[in-house]
Amino acid sequence: MKRDTILFDLDGTLINTNELIIASFLFTLDKHFPEQYNREHILPLMGMPLVETMEQFDKEKVQDLVQTYREHNISHHDELVTEFKGVFETVEELYKKGYKLGIVTTKMRNTVKMGLKLVGLDKFFQTVVTLDDVEKAKPDPEPIQKALALLDSTPERAIMVGDSKYDILAGQNAGTQTAGVAWTIRGNDYLQQFNPDFMLNEMTDLLDVLGER
């Protein structure tokens, strides 16, 4: 069966928000827990929903931590977010060829819109499933199942593309094929542990996977 539905994670996959995320965490943690945490404490937690991540630091202060993080993240968004090589042309090509394109992310909708608009990708996606839209986040299959329903597609016709174990596991749990991206901040070898069906060295490799070049 032809794969005609491509679901993408956003952060770390389509847009490079790594430095924004790390900077926002470091600012937040240093404000609430001065000089206790550094970059190495943050990297293993990237890809989780923000509330779950903040619970790792202090369950009693979660709302304060989330508020501090979001204020910093939004105010520094446009100066720190960039696009990854090959993303725009690949997504544009798939869009022109009639693929069903969706985003499945653990972010809130307002910052998803900011990121997509900043790099000009907002016109290509027929559906965007955010943390606001689901009961359970990735790696639960619910967000992918919702995206597939909105796109009138099925797992057998879909590939989930992402940079974290949560993306790969969510795709596997939902029954789609999966593609990991080698530019993940955790490293290619780390993502390979979760056995994605494909590894993309750059986004244009997705066109090869789909037989489009």
Side-chain angles (χ1 to χ4, degrees), residues 72 109 113:
H72 183 277
R109 186 166 293 277
K113 286 182 177 178

Side-chain angles (χ1 to χ4, degrees), residues 141-194:
E142 183 193 349
I144 290 179
Q145 291 166 343
K146 178 152 193 169
L148 292 174
L150 290 167
L151 291 168
D152 191 25
S153 189
T154 63
E156 296 77 23
R157 291 160 53 194
I159 300 176
M160 176 68 206
V161 183
D163 71 307
S164 80
K165 70 177 182 180
Y166 305 103
D167 303 315
I168 305 307
L169 295 175
Q172 291 168 347
N173 290 335
T176 71
Q177 284 191 322
T178 56
V181 300
W183 53 94
T184 170
I185 196 169
R186 301 290 297 280
N188 186 356
D189 291 345
Y190 171 80
L191 204 53
Q192 290 269 26
Q193 298 177 76
F194 303 98

Side-chain angles (χ1 to χ4, degrees), residues 107-126:
K107 292 181 79 167
M108 306 293 278
R109 186 166 293 277
N110 64 325
T111 46
V112 172
K113 286 182 177 178
M114 288 175 67
L116 290 174
K117 186 174 181 182
L118 181 68
V119 298
L121 290 170
D122 49 329
K123 55 186 171 287
F124 297 130
F125 293 96
Q126 293 102 309

Side-chain angles (χ1 to χ4, degrees), residues 47-78:
M48 292 172 59
L50 185 59
V51 171
E52 286 182 33
T53 307
M54 293 308 187
E55 286 175 348
Q56 311 288 316
F57 298 105
D58 189 334
K59 290 188 176 181
E60 303 300 317
K61 297 176 71 172
V62 167
Q63 292 310 313
D64 289 342
L65 294 170
V66 167
Q67 182 176 348
T68 302
Y69 176 97
R70 287 193 172 136
E71 287 173 356
H72 183 277
N73 193 275
I74 289 171
S75 64
H76 292 82
H77 182 278
D78 288 5

